Each structure stands twice: as C-alpha cells, then as structure tokens.
Amino acid sequence: MPASFPERIDAFRIARLPDIRFGDGSIALLPTLIADYGERALVVTGRRSFVESPRWSELITALEAQGTTWLHVTIEGEPSPQRVDAIVGEHRENDIDVVVAIGGGSVLDAAKAVAGLLRPGNSVMDHLEGVGRGLAYSGPAVPLIAVPTTAGTGSEATKNAVLSMQGPEGFKKSFRDERLVAAVALVDPELLAGCPKAQIAANGMDAFTQLLESYVSLNASPATDALAWSGMQAFCRGFWPAWEMDHPEAGRGYSQIAYASLMSGITLAQAGLGSVHGLASPLGAFFPIPHGTVCGTLLAEATAINVAALREREPGGAALAKYAEVGRLVSGERKRNDRDACDALVATLRDWTQRLDIPKLGAYGMNQDDFDRVVAGARGGSMKTNPLVLTDAELVTLLARRL
Ligand SMILES: [Zn+2]
C-alpha cells in the first residue's frame, strides 16, 4: 500500500453498491439470478458479439427451461435519449420484472436508463442533467443485472447512465440517481476473451484514467484510495498480457483488467473524477470520438499539466505525493524521490499512449477553433474534483498538445 495515509480521516460516504459477483465462469449464475427477480426479463445486448456467441444460446435455453419469459432489445453505438425512450415505450406495458444488460458501457448505460423509466414511463429528457427538463426522478426502477463484456467503463457499479446526441448541438449527459445502481453486477472475466485489441486498449485506458483520477480526486477517501490502488495494481499486472492477446498469460490478464474496471466504477461513483473526464463530456458530444480514446489520448498530458500546476500552486499538497506513488507503481522503480517519481509517471503514461498508438483529437475533425467551446463545456461535473482548478489557458494547452 502507498505511504500517503492521512493524519486524520475526514467525513466520507460510500453510497449504494450492487451485489457484486466476480469470477471466471460466473455467467453461469445468470439464469438463477434472473429467476430471483421474477418471471419476465428484458434482455439488452449489443448488436452482435454476445448474441453470436454460444453463451447466448446457452442463456436462452436455460431461461426457457426455468420458465422465464424473455424479451430482447439491442443497442447500437452510443445510446441516445430517443433510443431509450423508444425502448421504454415499447416495453412499459410488458410487466418486466428484471432488466438484464449484457455488453459494453453503452449497453449497460442504456439498460440502466430503461430500467429506471419502465415503471414511471416518462421521457429520459425529463431527467438528463444540464440539457433535460430538470425534473426530479422519483422511481421506482426495475431491478437491473449488469454483465459487462468489456473492461472499461465500470458502469456496472455506477448510478449514472450516460446518453449522447452528437453534432454541433450535441451533448453527452447523465441521467443520475442512486436508484439506478444495478441490483447485481456480474463480472465474468472470461467474457473478455476475443475482445478486439483496439477495444482492450481504449477501454483499459478509460479504466486506468478513472482509477488515477479518482485516486487524486478532491473527494477521495482512504476507503476509495484502497480500492483505486488495488485497481491500479491489477491493471499494471494484467493490461499488457491482455492487450497482447496471444500472450500466454492473456487469460490471467483478463481477470486483472476486469477487476481494474470494476474498481474504477466503484471509485469514480464514490470519489469523482478529474480533468480528462471533464473534457471527455464536450469532446464526446461534438466529435465522434469513442470515450476510451478520449481518455487514452488525454491522460498523459492531463497528468503532466496537473503535476506542473500543483508544483507551482500547491507544492506540499497530498495530490503530488499520490501522483508520486502511482509513478513508482507504474514505472516499477521504488526508490525515486517524489519529484522524479511524478516525472516517471508522466513518462510512463506518454510511453503507453505511443505504444497503444492512440489517435489524436485532430483525427476526429477537431481543430483550434473548437478549443473555446470545448473548454467552456468542460467546467461542470468531473472537473470539480480535479486536484486543483486549472485555468482555461491550461486546458487549451492540454487540448493543443493532443490535437
Ligand atoms: Zn470514463
């Protein structure tokens, strides 16, 4: 464990978490878990990979054998409010007892919103932060079983569903409520086998960004630090073997990155995030950039800018000491002083960005004229828990370095 334990433990909260079932082969528990909640299940999946695997037919056979009625909807790409409303409209009269989401972050987020609205039956735009009608959500939500098939967003452990509309008037905003937290998070690392390399890379960078940002967040507590640290340890062990796929230890790597992703969901939900996720919201709304790619492309430079600003404005603060600990962890060099360890962190993250060949923002149509509106759209949410307040000029520098 890292050395930076606080003198006094300040007030903190651990809000509601799902019942977590983690382990290779745990997908076999799914039919029984579904039966615990009732007889009618709405199963939400992506368009292809899971439904084309033998696990899909095994699941359907098991559901039919136990007398569960199942309905199926698919989510393609990042979910929009219109898609969520359409699914709710189609199924609100169907007496759904449980929603089952099997897929990546988009599928989990869409299903989370659907589960929240099946009973009330209203539009998700009533509740979407910042762009919606600002009405309070009063539930009830239908129980949700979340089964991630990628290791990235940690959505199985969070209370928010991120929905987006793309284009000049675009947005990427959350429907957020404690009642949306999944009843069960079923995390089976074996489901990651066969995940394309580029997806492992982007999702892995998302998970690591979430862990690092929540570790240095202004809202971090010793409890979330312990979880974030164990997630970063797991990531360092497992990410590269999993990414290499034909690596002999890829299988073990899957368990490590599935764990890292799960921890990142818990810590982001409890501690908040930082500048990368602050910028990810407008970037994802204005440009067709996958969320993991935004994280991967910005993380090293965002960390460099935070470290430089902290050295200037809060040289004795806890955040720099924490960055130094992570620097020792990711570089594997334990004896460095804090300054060298922070430099090693930035150098290692830059090396990852290069090795993974993460595209720059310009590849998605962004140019310098977009800086102002991206910075203006980045000030809410995650940016508030960045370890210090960055100036507009610092955010522009960050974007410019990855244009
Ligand atoms: Zn993220």
Side-chain angles (χ1 to χ4, degrees):
M1 272 300 287
S4 74
F5 202 79
E7 288 295 323
R8 201 190 63 194
I9 295 173
D10 293 327
F12 70 91
R13 174 184 179 201
I14 302 287
R16 181 194 262 193
L17 289 170
D19 175 1
I20 294 169
R21 309 290 187 110
F22 181 94
D24 280 340
S26 56
I27 188 78
L29 301 170
L30 187 54
T32 317
L33 290 168
I34 292 172
D36 285 347
Y37 290 96
E39 289 165 5
R40 295 175 71 83
L42 177 64
V43 185
V44 186
T45 68
R47 200 163 54 91
R48 287 224 306 277
S49 52
F50 187 80
V51 293
E52 284 173 359
S53 78
R55 291 192 175 92
W56 174 248
S57 48
E58 284 164 26
L59 173 65
I60 297 312
T61 308
L63 291 180
E64 286 173 357
Q66 71 187 21
T68 303
T69 303
W70 60 278
L71 299 151
H72 181 209
V73 293
T74 57
I75 299 293
E76 204 170 331
E78 303 212 356
S80 65
Q82 288 76 5
R83 182 73 185 120
V84 168
D85 284 354
I87 297 170
V88 169
E90 196 183 329
H91 292 285
R92 56 182 291 203
E93 309 290 343
N94 285 339
D95 289 328
I96 303 294
D97 296 313
V98 56
V99 174
V100 184
I102 309 169
S106 297
V107 170
L108 268 46
D109 280 10
K112 205 183 282 178
V114 167
L117 293 166
L118 274 175
R119 294 273 187 274
N122 58 317
S123 166
V124 73
M125 289 304 291
D126 289 345
H127 309 299
L128 218 51
E129 284 174 1
V131 290
R133 293 179 195 99
L135 303 180
Y137 173 74
S138 52
V142 172
L144 171 70
I145 300 177
V147 186
T149 59
T150 61
T153 66
S155 173
E156 66 275 14
T158 71
K159 64 180 174 186
N160 57 313
V162 181
L163 305 178
S164 54
M165 219 156 72
Q166 243 178 36
E169 303 296 305
F171 58 78
K172 189 156 188 161
K173 295 286 179 186
S174 282
F175 169 27
R176 192 187 308 263
D177 194 275
E178 294 256 323
R179 282 160 287 204
L180 302 183
V181 174
V184 181
L186 178 64
V187 182
D188 183 346
E190 284 180 353
L191 299 181
L192 297 176
C195 216
K197 212 167 171 159
Q199 217 177 6
I200 297 264
N203 294 332
M205 285 300 104
D206 184 20
F208 190 84
T209 303
Q210 291 174 174
L211 290 163
L212 179 58
E213 290 199 315
S214 56
Y215 188 64
V216 297
S217 158
L218 292 176
N219 269 347
S221 71
T224 57
D225 284 353
L227 298 178
W229 185 261
S230 75
M232 290 188 283
Q233 283 181 309
F235 181 91
C236 290
R237 286 268 164 88
F239 176 72
W240 294 102
W243 179 71
E244 282 168 24
M245 281 163 73
D246 47 1
H247 190 287
E249 304 209 347
R252 210 164 68 188
Y254 295 140
S255 74
Q256 304 278 6
I257 58 173
Y259 177 84
S261 174
L262 173 64
M263 290 304 114
S264 81
I266 296 174
T267 59
L268 86 85
Q270 308 295 336
L273 294 164
S275 63
V276 173
H277 278 80
L279 287 164
S281 167
L283 285 170
F286 299 145
F287 307 100
I289 317 179
H291 177 70
T293 305
V294 174
C295 294
T297 207
L298 294 182
L299 180 61
E301 297 314 318
T303 306
I305 283 171
N306 269 356
V307 167
L310 287 163
R311 279 174 177 165
E312 212 174 274
R313 308 206 278 274
E314 290 176 30
L320 271 181
K322 286 175 145 185
Y323 274 130
E325 286 161 355
V326 181
R328 290 182 197 101
L329 175 71
V330 299
S331 68
E333 295 172 39
R334 301 195 169 272
K335 289 188 189 138
R336 291 172 184 269
N337 63 39
D338 277 10
R339 173 165 273 273
D340 289 351
C342 284
D343 291 342
L345 171 62
V346 171
T348 306
L349 295 176
R350 283 180 177 151
D351 176 56
W352 291 358
T353 314
Q354 265 201 333
R355 211 168 141 191
L356 296 171
D357 202 16
I358 310 243
K360 292 188 170 181
L361 299 167
Y364 298 91
M366 183 175 174
N367 61 54
Q368 290 183 341
D369 301 339
D370 299 308
F371 286 170
D372 287 350
R373 66 180 179 136
V374 170
V375 169
R379 286 294 176 187
S382 301
M383 198 63 90
K384 291 186 192 144
T385 45
N386 195 61
L388 84 172
V389 178
L390 296 175
T391 64
D392 284 358
E394 283 166 332
L395 293 177
V396 166
T397 304
L398 166 50
L399 293 169
R401 286 192 194 167
R402 293 302 298 169
L403 191 62

